[in-house]
Amino acid sequence: MSLKGKTAVVTGSNSGIGLGVARELAKAGARVVLNSFTDRDEDHKLAADMAAEFGTEVVYIKADMSKGDECRALIAQAGACDILVNNAGIQHVAAIEDFPVEKWDAIIAINLTSAFHTTAAAIPGMKAAGWGRIVNIASAHGLSASPYKSAYVSAKHGIVGMTKTVALELARDKITCNAICPGYVMTPLVEAQIPDTMKQYGMDRDEAIEKVILQRSATKEFATVEQIGGTAVFLCSSAADQITGTTISVDGGWTAL
Ligand code: NAD
């Protein structure tokens, strides 16, 4: 399947799932726009290395997804946006009565509101092109909850709702909007919550991974960033023309339980 001639903007893509998705889209031939809130030499080198590896144009654009104007500016600066992957996200683990207000606000802004801004900014270009794909990286936590993740679960349920709404609004425009719901993928985001999980449950690292993090995974395995990227490429293929307004779980059976 070739995505040659298409531009893909992937938010939060200098690490983890976003980077994995961006790599699979570049491998399929898309021109790719990488993004995060930093502007380091290594961010631009990542883009240059990926361009050389896959023989396609890859650029890096700094934009802070907690700020609405920067979300919209990212789409404007991208030059085109045929494929939008709303992936940027953060996590914080705490009981709701202790949940820091600034963490709640940041999670809702980055994990949910940023997708409102980028989607709104990208739609006119997709309509003009007569084709578009919006892929929201939600989570198994967009379909079910876990304790101590109130902001994250709220944001992810929110983005699943937005996915359905956007799909209906664009249903006659050959623009699809879907959400991928990963279970656990070993990325810096998951690595960072292991200490808090150990603390909340009074467990060591291996026990916290097995009994809490992978507790609901039937396969007892982490998904890989390549598998999430492959799912995104599938959603961009013509086989997925009639797939819109839905969720695809990549969660090792978590939500089947
Ligand atoms: P990660 O920490 O590796 O990557 C997060 C990315 O978002 C990074 O590139 C980071 O720079 C970027 N980012 C953070 N704040 C930003 C901001 N203000 N502006 C722009 N970019 C910002 O984490 P990940 O695990 O790859 O998570 C990516 C997405 O996948 C998130 O939406 C997360 O909720 C979702 N997800 C992850 C898992 C998992 O198990 N790792 C499971 C389900 C869903």
Side-chain angles (χ1 to χ4, degrees), residues 3 9 50 56-57 82-83 94 97 104 140 219 221 224 239 257:
L3 293 175
V9 178
M50 206 188 293
T56 188
E57 191 187 347
D82 305 291
I83 298 163
E97 67 269 34
W104 173 279
T219 61
E221 289 174 15
T224 66
L257 287 173

Side-chain angles (χ1 to χ4, degrees), residues 12 14-15 17 36 64-65 87 138 152 156 183 185 187-190:
N14 65 353
S15 158
I17 291 173
S36 185
D64 184 342
M65 293 297 105
N87 167 80
Y152 188 85
K156 294 299 185 182
V185 185
T187 66
L189 179 140
V190 170

Side-chain angles (χ1 to χ4, degrees), residues 11-19 35-38 63-67 86-91 110-111 137-141 152 156 180-190 193 222 225:
T11 71
S13 48
N14 65 353
S15 158
I17 291 173
L19 180 57
N35 153 263
S36 185
F37 59 91
T38 51
D64 184 342
M65 293 297 105
S66 70
K67 301 192 169 81
N86 288 307
N87 167 80
I90 59 168
Q91 174 64 287
I110 296 167
N111 298 21
I137 306 300
S139 169
H141 283 118
Y152 188 85
K156 294 299 185 182
I180 298 176
C181 293
Y184 278 101
V185 185
M186 189 46 95
T187 66
L189 179 140
V190 170
Q193 62 191 279
F222 289 99
V225 298

Side-chain angles (χ1 to χ4, degrees), residues 215-238:
Q215 185 217 347
R216 288 152 82 182
S217 162
T219 61
K220 298 291 170 205
E221 289 174 15
F222 289 99
T224 66
V225 298
E226 290 79 10
Q227 289 162 350
I228 309 301
T231 308
V233 170
F234 164 69
L235 286 172
C236 293
S237 73
S238 57

